[in-house]
Amino acid sequence: MIIKNQILELKRELGNKIIIPAHHYEDPQIVEVSEFVGDSYKLAVDCAKTDAEFIVFCGVYFMAEAADILSQSNQKVIMPNLSAGCPMADQINRKQAEKAVKLIQKRTPKQIAPVVYMNSYADIKSFCGKQDGSVCTSSNASEIIDYYLKQDKAVFFTPDFNLGINTAHKLGLADNEIVKVEQDMEINDSYDPAKVKMYIWDGFCHVHKVFTVQNIIELRSQYENIKIIVHPECDRGVVNNSDISGSTQKIYNEIKNSPAGSVWGVGTEYNFVKRIADEFPDKTILPLKKSICHNMAKITSEKLLTSLGSINAHIKEGLELKNVVSVDEEDKENAARALNKMIEIVES
Ligand code: SF4
């Protein structure tokens, strides 16, 4: 409570010079003191629309980078804890992406279009923009991939295998039209390159990968009318055995708009599930399993307070600003191209 009051006091002092966005998976204590909560892309867009000079980003590193890429030139992005990374985004770097695309291009007669999930670092988004590819989010992945497939291009999708394969099946692709690209660049040779429509990098989110079909069976056996809703970063079997799958925002909206008395089994990050269970006490909201993103949890109230203090000291005493997230200008430009391509496809 003391820390929360200190944060609120500093927020009052800093006024509209700062904005605090929080990702859905942040601890409720962080969400409580933030201006808005949401998925990574929406947070980055919403921050850029404000007049705040300092964006104090409560989420993981790739999200803060996205906020910097889309920010106005006078805005600075600060992270309360720079070590909050993303193990899934860590599973591919620019060199690996370039090598994979070269390797695939040698085998296929089709042109390759890279599509990179929002949950990736700026260098991968930049690589994608340079190659005329697009970023996608978990809610628009099928639209973006379909756009390239309709041009008879083969899509190289990275980094999350589950989102890739779940989207491929949603689009009606057959198993022989999909090839997994192992992280050691091993590509199964037994496929017909002329048929392949998607090459999917073998990355994963450990937070979503832990859910199993057995978790769903157990909840269904306990609650007759339960609806199962999961994130598409979950395994294919889990998605196939759920009633609904979608982004964290979609999960939130579905539950919010369901009638009182509804029972939900939710396959996504535990802090989020717990928060919505508290927000909608007229519904029964249960996690498929308690799975926490420990990187999101690195953004603590103490770290947030230190960040706000550092901004205050910078403004008042000219002290060095700490924990600034600043994407290299060339990467910024190319990553913005890939992000703008996503908007262009979705709006077309
Ligand atoms: S939940 Fe998964 S994808 Fe999201 S930040 Fe954590 S590890 Fe990365």
Side-chain angles (χ1 to χ4, degrees):
M1 199 61 182
I2 295 171
I3 292 185
K4 184 184 166 185
N5 288 340
Q6 287 173 319
I7 290 173
L8 294 177
E9 182 56 38
L10 265 174
K11 276 188 70 173
R12 266 192 294 275
E13 205 172 328
L14 290 161
N16 56 10
K17 286 194 177 70
I18 61 153
I19 189 93
I20 305 178
H23 187 268
H24 275 305
Y25 300 166
E26 286 300 338
D27 189 282
Q29 287 180 3
I30 297 290
V31 173
E32 227 180 12
V33 295
S34 69
E35 263 71 45
F36 39 78
V37 60
D39 279 340
S40 52
Y41 177 65
K42 191 174 180 313
L43 289 179
V45 171
D46 288 349
C47 288
K49 286 182 188 158
T50 70
D51 295 328
E53 192 183 335
F54 303 97
I55 298 166
V56 189
F57 205 101
C58 296
V60 295
Y61 197 83
F62 75 79
M63 299 176 181
E65 282 185 329
D68 185 48
I69 291 163
L70 296 180
S71 66
Q72 301 169 44
S73 55
N74 65 329
Q75 293 182 311
K76 287 186 181 60
V77 179
I78 318 291
M79 264 185 89
N81 187 348
L82 285 175
S83 75
C86 167
M88 178 165 83
D90 285 339
Q91 289 167 35
I92 188 162
N93 58 40
R94 188 198 316 247
K95 271 196 181 141
Q96 288 171 300
E98 282 168 355
K99 194 171 166 191
V101 168
K102 268 189 197 148
L103 217 70
I104 297 163
Q105 195 67 80
K106 271 189 200 161
R107 298 168 185 231
T108 175
K110 296 187 181 187
Q111 199 184 328
I112 305 288
V115 173
V116 50
Y117 186 24
M118 188 70 193
N119 298 16
S120 59
Y121 292 118
D123 62 338
I124 295 294
K125 291 188 179 83
S126 165
F127 151 81
C128 186
K130 239 179 157 173
Q131 307 256 337
D132 287 330
S134 172
V135 172
C136 76
T137 65
S138 54
S139 49
N140 65 26
S142 50
E143 259 175 281
I144 305 295
I145 291 167
D146 197 38
Y147 168 86
Y148 291 109
L149 296 184
K150 281 188 173 136
Q151 297 173 13
D152 204 28
K153 291 181 178 169
V155 166
F156 170 63
F157 183 83
T158 189
D160 186 40
F161 181 77
N162 281 344
L163 178 62
I165 194 129
N166 286 322
T167 309
H169 284 278
K170 194 171 160 190
L171 288 168
L173 268 60
D175 285 339
N176 65 353
E177 293 176 317
I178 306 161
V179 167
K180 183 190 268 191
V181 184
E182 305 282 351
Q183 293 188 24
D184 59 6
M185 303 284 166
E186 273 300 312
I187 305 177
N188 178 357
D189 257 340
S190 62
Y191 65 90
D192 175 358
K195 287 210 174 87
V196 177
K197 294 184 174 171
M198 266 184 90
Y199 294 83
I200 311 177
W201 188 254
D202 190 22
F204 61 90
C205 164
H206 65 284
V207 176
H208 289 95
K209 212 167 162 52
V210 295
F211 302 117
T212 61
V213 174
Q214 189 56 33
N215 299 146
I216 297 179
I217 293 170
E218 278 165 21
L219 276 184
R220 288 206 197 275
S221 72
Q222 289 167 42
Y223 300 87
E224 204 186 328
N225 296 324
I226 195 166
K227 270 196 168 181
I228 304 294
I229 188 162
V230 302
H231 197 281
E233 288 170 23
C234 295
D235 283 343
R236 199 173 150 202
V238 170
V239 170
N240 288 347
N241 281 280
S242 68
D243 298 294
I244 307 170
S245 76
S247 66
T248 312
Q249 191 62 48
K250 177 169 173 151
I251 294 174
Y252 179 86
N253 293 344
E254 288 283 345
I255 293 176
K256 182 182 176 199
N257 297 329
S258 65
S262 303
V263 184
W264 291 93
V266 188
T268 192
E269 209 273 343
Y270 180 71
N271 267 322
F272 168 74
V273 182
K274 190 174 168 301
R275 184 164 56 80
I276 53 171
D278 290 343
E279 191 177 335
F280 304 114
D282 59 333
K283 297 160 198 179
T284 304
I285 300 166
L286 306 155
L288 287 194
K289 189 186 265 181
K290 188 173 173 180
S291 182
I292 292 176
C293 177
H294 293 289
N295 277 281
M296 293 280 185
K298 287 179 182 170
I299 308 295
T300 59
S301 297
E302 288 81 0
K303 300 265 183 203
L304 176 57
L305 180 62
T306 305
S307 268
L308 297 179
S310 148
I311 294 169
N312 207 22
H314 171 73
I315 295 170
K316 287 193 173 150
E317 300 158 44
L319 296 187
E320 189 194 351
L321 202 53
K322 302 240 171 72
N323 291 9
V324 179
V325 175
S326 177
V327 176
D328 163 272
E329 279 308 313
E330 197 187 332
D331 278 346
K332 212 180 221 183
E333 198 180 307
N334 287 320
R337 272 178 71 189
L339 283 159
N340 289 334
K341 184 70 189 172
M342 170 176 81
I343 297 162
E344 182 197 312
I345 297 170
V346 170
E347 288 181 353
S348 65

